[in-house]
Amino acid sequence: MRTNEPFALWTWGFKVFCTFVCVKKSPSQRHRQHKSPEWFSLPKMSQNLPKGMGKTVAGLAVAVAAVACAGAVVIVSRRIRERGQRAKCLAILDEFRNLCATPVSRLRQIVDAMVVEMHAGLATEGGSRLKMLPSFVDVLPTGDEKGLYYALDLGGTNFRVLRVQLGGKEGRVIKQEYEEVSIPHKLMAASGQELFEFIAKELAHFVNREGDGFRPHGNQKRELGFTFSFPVNQTSINSGTLVQWTKGFTCDGVPGKNVVQFLEEAMEKVGLKMRVTALVNDTVGTLAGGRYWNEDVMVAIILGTGTNACYVERADTINKWNGLLPKSGTMVINTEWGNFWSSHLPKTYADEGLDADSVNPGEQGFEKLVSGMYMGDIVRRVLLKMAQEAEIFGKPIPPKLMQPYTLSTPHMSKMHGDETRDLRNVAKVLKDAFNITNTSLTVRKIVYMICDVVCERGGRLAGAGIVGILKKIGRDGTGTGSGSWGQGKNISCKPRRTVVAMDGGLYEHYAKFREYLQAAATELLGEEVSKNVVIELSKDGSGIGAALLAASHSPSPTRNTVDSTIA
Ligand code: BGC
């Protein structure tokens, strides 16, 4: 309909004009032209007009024709402008796509940079942006754990409380219950006390509803595994100071302090008697949860609101470790890869803007390219540029498009997963997120393509990160790295199966992200090696993993040690 508009106006104007010409022509000529009914009406009228009126009608016709032609000119020029705007949008898209490109050559540089930074982070405190934090977990669950354990999982906009009754090798997880509580937005910026008191209250309610089938083992006190999904300098298995908040949290007074003390004081205040036996990062919880079921799990990754990775490292490679070497000879390292940076990472104006406007500028560079908290906003920023420079959504710029975080990554994933011919899910999200309506299919296709570019970059970078860790522990098929078989000795080694336990909503719910990640990992590892590397979704593994670590680090039961197959 819209594409025929100027043509229709031209035609109409032309018809009006010809009609006028017909009035002036001989009846025979007129007759020839009066075949179609539209052409018929006006001249017929003019024939019956009183003398002198003919000229008026003719003048009128000319005027109408002129207006119609002018209208057509306006529409045509609008079309030309639209075409120009579309070309500008496509140029912006092209430029953005180039800036985000992750060819395998670049991914290899990123893998190598990741390995270099891992070494540097293990060598000295502050030696790298990769913090490489020793977790004090030298004991992973074996399946022998028994008794009742609680877990508290705090790390995003929700936290979970969980209880689990463990029955040893035979009984395994006899029974478990959990509840999810959303954290009121204002608490993310409140004081540390307020945040922890809220959490302790919810935990106390949950404990009070402990029903049948849950009982402590022997004289065991209630014990808690605390999953705290932020960078923490552990000082023991059950204490550690917060390095800095991430993922939008800014609660005052916590950085630099022992977070377990905050929790214990809050629990005491609400009269909850419970001992924190393990403080773990969510990656470490996921690793423990994964290892409980599968002893090939060596690495755990979170791809959700934030992102991070941990893995089992040989303790003697951790040069900055001052304590005694653990008996197991191994230690789980929380890499905090969200803060990884390398000049090889593809960064654009959208990323720079996002970083500058964030609560932690200059920090969590990798996380800002890869994770669920940020990808939607990167898409929004590119759309905003198109709105400003190419009026992609017309004038004025839709106000909500200018507000940070109005487009979430679930929104982006919904648009990117749109398989309808007219991209109606894209249209729906544009309406829901920005109140933008009446978009053309071309505009919707452009939006879809931006989602694809951002998702492809994030997925491929995460894939490269995983290969970086595999390379560091010698499981990437190159035969190097601290955990490789026959390391330092000139013997060939049989490839081993390595399982990467994965958790997080981004990986779980965003199919295309998963596909890009897997494709990049396979490209980097090669078909053969990739057969031995399995990325396994370990849904909500971090909560139960924390409970298991509370069990395996409990002062009461027998400690089980991490197997030493890595060395
Ligand atoms: C935090 C990590 C955490 C990750 C995933 C990041 O922002 O720094 O500690 O593991 O998010 O939750």
Side-chain angles (χ1 to χ4, degrees), residues 78-310:
R78 194 180 72 200
R79 280 294 135 77
I80 293 171
R81 203 180 59 234
E82 277 175 4
R83 222 166 273 155
Q85 285 161 348
R86 195 173 55 201
K88 243 192 227 166
C89 286
L90 291 176
I92 293 174
L93 174 63
D94 253 14
E95 183 207 13
F96 183 66
R97 190 189 281 120
N98 289 338
L99 290 171
C100 289
T102 50
V104 73
S105 52
R106 180 177 256 195
L107 291 185
R108 284 196 201 290
Q109 291 170 317
I110 292 166
V111 168
D112 291 341
M114 175 80 79
V115 175
V116 168
E117 294 301 316
M118 287 174 83
H119 279 285
L122 289 176
T124 47
E125 208 58 70
S128 163
R129 295 191 69 95
L130 268 188
K131 296 185 185 73
M132 304 296 285
L133 304 166
S135 65
F136 283 70
V137 172
D138 56 348
V139 178
L140 281 171
T142 57
D144 290 328
E145 298 74 13
K146 280 191 177 150
L148 167 65
Y149 292 90
Y150 275 83
L152 169 64
D153 194 343
L154 169 68
T157 42
N158 291 333
F159 73 89
R160 289 173 140 240
V161 283
L162 180 137
R163 67 181 138 245
V164 55
Q165 185 73 39
L166 301 170
K169 278 244 157 59
E170 265 116 68
R172 290 279 167 159
V173 176
I174 297 171
K175 195 172 177 190
Q176 62 169 312
E177 283 175 357
Y178 74 87
E179 265 172 31
E180 200 158 299
V181 185
S182 69
I183 301 177
H185 197 72
K186 63 174 197 306
L187 278 186
M188 290 168 70
S191 73
Q193 273 91 350
E194 282 172 292
L195 175 70
F196 281 97
E197 268 174 46
F198 175 79
I199 291 167
K201 260 187 216 147
E202 294 295 332
L203 178 61
H205 287 154
F206 182 67
V207 173
N208 288 339
R209 288 193 294 273
E210 189 178 286
D212 290 345
F214 291 101
R215 63 199 177 289
H217 188 57
N219 293 333
Q220 181 203 1
K221 268 191 173 174
R222 281 193 182 73
E223 290 178 31
L224 177 78
F226 179 21
T227 308
F228 185 68
S229 311
F230 300 94
V232 164
N233 258 326
Q234 299 261 163
T235 41
S236 72
I237 182 62
N238 61 353
S239 63
T241 56
L242 172 65
V243 180
Q244 71 203 13
W245 287 113
T246 58
K247 295 177 282 194
F249 277 77
T250 54
C251 299
D252 257 3
V254 193
K257 306 267 175 58
N258 179 5
V259 290
V260 172
Q261 200 179 331
F262 268 93
L263 179 62
E264 283 177 343
E265 280 171 12
M267 291 198 297
E268 208 178 305
K269 209 162 174 187
V270 299
L272 176 61
K273 286 195 174 49
M274 200 174 246
R275 176 164 58 191
V276 179
T277 346
L279 167 68
V280 297
N281 185 262
D282 49 353
T283 51
V284 180
T286 303
L287 183 79
R291 178 62 78 89
Y292 184 66
W293 299 106
N294 185 340
E295 59 182 32
D296 292 331
V297 173
M298 295 296 288
V299 180
I301 310 283
I302 303 289
L303 282 162
T305 308
T307 186
N308 193 8
C310 79

